Amino acid sequence: MKYNVLVSAPYLLNDIEKFRAELEGKNIAFDIYPVKERLEEEDLLKVIHKYDAIICGDDRFTPKVIDKAEKLKVIVKWGTGIDSIDKKYAESKGVQVRNTLNAFTEPVSDSVLAMLLVFARKVIESDRIMKNGGWRKAFGITLSEVSIGIIGLGNIGRAVARKLQPFNTKIYANDTAEIPTEVLENYKIEMTSLDDLVQKSDFVVVCCDLNSTSLHIINKEKLGLMKSNAIVINMARGPLINEKDLIEALENKQIAGAGLDVFEEEPLFIDSPLRKMNNVLLSSHNVNASPYYWNKVHRNSLNMLYQSLGIQE
């Protein structure tokens, strides 16, 4: 039997030709859909009926799309987060949803540490002073002088705590799940309520999954509880933060800054005030960057595809 597969995962699109012979050898024909960020519902509705499987990024699989996917057997998410897929509805229609757990823990947690150090040591500020012809001293602090609050102690949250150990940083955390005592003791983490965490932390790092209970977990109320020197870092999912409330808090100097890789709407609007704020560091949903980990996810995604289609790996 020959299978038709759609490949729309942006990072895999760059490398898919390396796997052409392998796929064709397994009787799989594939089409590529060149996307910059994700396929929306209206994009998928035009094509999804043709395919037995898809390897996708953050494409929006709504019930309407799944109803249209007459032949679809599996949605393979390239990476971890599946908040753009209605998994429950897909599975009720017999469509498997597969993803790679713990896919980018190392590059994302590295990026969180980089952001913490850049803000604490005033790296960007010092560079701007010098390049503008100045010689003013920017007053940095060390990570041993600050407290860091981690919202969500899953794989990435724990990796951030692990990588902070040499810095002797005070770490608070909040999670809806019970965290093993061994993890808390090994990484010297103090669990606390969300309100207490945002009140006490100099850096608030959002590491939790996006779901109905975590949507806008950082909002006007939580921002209002934060210290005036607080920095918010989000490399998880954009809608975890109410962006309008964050912009207002930054403009009013209610908090000191933010480091953001993800946004409520992506790509970030060209006229977003965030793009013009010197106390905000931005990147384009790209902190998973790592050829080594990308290749691991390529391989795992293909293996999950074969398993789900009943093809020998």
Side-chain angles (χ1 to χ4, degrees):
M1 181 176 180
K2 188 160 190 172
Y3 294 103
N4 292 314
V5 174
L6 179 63
V7 179
S8 61
Y11 291 102
L12 181 56
L13 289 175
N14 296 329
D15 291 331
I16 193 61
E17 287 304 321
K18 292 193 297 191
F19 301 102
R20 177 177 288 280
E22 175 182 316
L23 288 160
E24 290 179 348
K26 295 181 183 298
N27 226 14
I28 292 175
F30 66 89
D31 294 327
I32 62 173
Y33 198 123
V35 293
K36 279 189 175 179
E37 201 59 44
R38 64 169 56 87
L39 296 182
E40 300 293 344
E41 180 186 76
E42 58 269 28
D43 302 316
L44 287 165
L45 285 173
K46 294 173 187 170
V47 299
I48 198 63
H49 62 282
K50 296 189 290 185
Y51 297 103
D52 300 289
I54 182 170
I55 303 177
C56 63
D58 291 326
D59 299 353
R60 294 197 197 281
F61 275 87
T62 61
K64 198 172 174 183
V65 171
I66 292 162
D67 284 341
K68 183 81 173 180
E70 301 159 2
K71 298 168 56 182
L72 199 68
K73 297 171 181 60
V74 60
I75 301 167
V76 177
K77 164 66 196 291
W78 187 95
T80 302
I82 55 171
D83 49 273
S84 64
I85 301 169
D86 192 329
K87 182 181 178 185
K88 188 175 177 182
Y89 190 76
E91 291 179 340
S92 76
K93 296 294 181 179
V95 179
Q96 298 177 59
V97 178
R98 307 286 301 270
N99 61 329
T100 300
L101 297 176
N102 206 13
F104 298 113
T105 296
E106 293 305 316
V108 174
S109 57
D110 275 8
S111 299
V112 171
L113 264 289
M115 196 68 81
L116 291 170
L117 285 165
V118 164
F119 271 110
R121 301 307 303 157
K122 306 287 186 189
V123 175
I124 302 291
E125 183 178 338
S126 294
D127 180 69
R128 285 179 182 145
I129 291 169
M130 293 296 290
K131 289 180 177 170
N132 285 327
W135 190 253
R136 180 172 62 80
K137 315 291 187 188
F139 293 104
I141 52 176
T142 72
L143 293 185
S144 66
E145 300 167 68
V146 302
S147 55
I148 295 177
I150 302 173
I151 301 174
L153 268 185
N155 290 318
I156 292 174
R158 293 182 198 189
V160 170
R162 168 171 53 83
K163 292 177 181 182
L164 281 171
Q165 295 308 296
F167 295 97
N168 197 27
T169 306
K170 176 64 184 176
I171 303 174
Y172 298 106
N174 175 265
D175 199 301
T176 54
E178 188 170 345
I179 306 300
T181 303
E182 184 181 342
V183 172
L184 302 179
E185 290 178 350
N186 284 348
Y187 302 144
K188 304 177 186 66
I189 299 170
E190 180 179 334
M191 297 299 288
T192 189
S193 68
L194 185 56
D195 282 358
D196 193 52
L197 181 149
V198 298
Q199 283 177 311
K200 289 180 174 175
S201 300
D202 299 297
F203 290 88
V204 176
V205 182
V206 185
C207 294
C208 56
D209 291 338
L210 174 63
N211 52 50
S212 58
T213 62
S214 62
L215 176 69
H216 290 173
I217 195 168
I218 297 298
N219 52 26
K220 191 179 187 73
E221 179 203 346
K222 302 304 179 208
L223 290 160
L225 295 174
M226 292 184 191
K227 300 177 180 180
S228 60
N229 68 318
I231 306 285
V232 175
I233 294 175
N234 183 16
M235 299 188 174
R237 281 290 186 264
L240 292 167
I241 297 181
N242 184 314
E243 211 161 275
K244 179 175 173 290
D245 293 347
L246 176 66
I247 290 169
E248 189 175 302
L250 289 163
E251 287 176 337
N252 295 336
K253 302 191 186 308
Q254 199 171 342
I255 63 171
L260 306 170
D261 181 61
V262 289
F263 308 91
E264 288 206 77
E265 293 291 335
E266 297 180 356
L268 180 64
F269 298 122
I270 193 68
D271 57 352
S272 169
L274 293 169
R275 289 184 182 267
K276 296 173 183 165
M277 294 179 176
N278 285 334
N279 56 344
V280 175
L281 300 182
L282 305 174
S283 54
S284 54
H285 199 153
N286 191 43
V287 292
N288 68 0
S290 161
Y292 174 77
Y293 286 97
W294 286 343
N295 282 327
K296 285 184 73 172
V297 176
H298 291 346
R299 171 47 53 202
N300 198 49
S301 297
L302 290 172
N303 289 346
M304 289 189 292
L305 174 73
Y306 303 150
Q307 290 163 8
S308 298
L309 294 179
I311 298 171
Q312 190 172 6
E313 292 175 25

